[in-house]
Amino acid sequence: MSTHCYIGATSPDSLHLVHARFVLFDGHPAVVLPTLAAVWAGHAQHDTRALITAVLTHDWEYLDPDIAATTRSAFAGQSPVPGVGMTLASEVDPPEPVTVFPLCHAAHLDAEWIYLIEADTGTLAVHTSDGTRVATYHLVNCLGPGGIERGERPCGPRSAAGAPR
């Protein structure tokens, strides 16, 4: 069974409006947090806006920072995006547009988690399927032991207000 999620960012013009892409597999925080941090560090070269652009380019079967241009999918129409993941596509249907929704309507989506990348702070806000914000993580802290300051844990949670838990 897969864990569906949406990953994106809020609109700069309207902070309650989300622009996001669907991810079919591995949408649980234990997978998404380190994966997005690795895509941010590798593909986006620590540029949070570049991470947002990369994620919003396609809907995804899965994200994988180790994917290469030579990776092949068993499904027609899917393409690898090096350093990001495998697209969710079809040769029959046209590409889906970016999904735009008010966060307060998140419960209407087919997803268990929603992740919002915050470009100005380099953080990732984790929301449940109903749009409730449960934690905020700094991308740099999700990279593993090499990216952690002394005394910090990888992906150490912060409350929605930003105070350490």
Side-chain angles (χ1 to χ4, degrees):
M1 185 83 176
S2 66
T3 302
H4 305 165
C5 71
Y6 278 87
I7 302 174
T10 56
S11 170
D13 301 328
S14 180
L15 296 179
H16 76 282
L17 199 58
V18 173
H19 294 246
R21 286 298 192 160
F22 180 74
V23 180
L24 182 61
F25 291 110
D26 293 336
H28 192 274
V31 175
V32 171
L33 294 168
T35 299
L36 276 178
V39 172
W40 169 73
H43 179 81
Q45 299 183 350
H46 295 98
D47 180 340
T48 312
R49 292 187 198 287
L51 174 63
I52 293 168
T53 300
V55 169
L56 291 181
T57 304
H58 302 279
D59 283 331
W60 302 95
E61 181 177 354
Y62 59 90
L63 297 176
D64 181 354
D66 296 325
I67 203 159
T70 57
T71 305
R72 297 289 170 237
S73 172
F75 301 103
Q78 293 182 330
S79 303
V81 177
V84 182
M86 184 64 70
T87 65
L88 183 62
S90 167
E91 293 178 346
V92 177
D93 300 322
E96 293 292 326
V98 170
T99 301
V100 179
F101 60 94
L103 190 55
C104 64
H105 290 193
H108 300 287
L109 301 171
D110 179 23
E112 295 179 46
W113 298 97
I114 300 165
Y115 303 92
L116 298 179
I117 304 162
E118 298 175 2
D120 295 337
T121 61
T123 58
L124 186 61
V126 180
H127 298 260
T128 58
S129 61
D130 66 359
T132 302
R133 187 177 190 152
V134 294
T136 300
Y137 297 90
H138 287 274
L139 287 165
V140 71
N141 291 343
C142 297
L143 289 172
I148 301 171
E149 294 179 21
R150 175 175 258 162
E152 286 187 313
R153 293 186 341 231
C155 296
R158 299 178 71 79
S159 69
R165 283 188 178 187

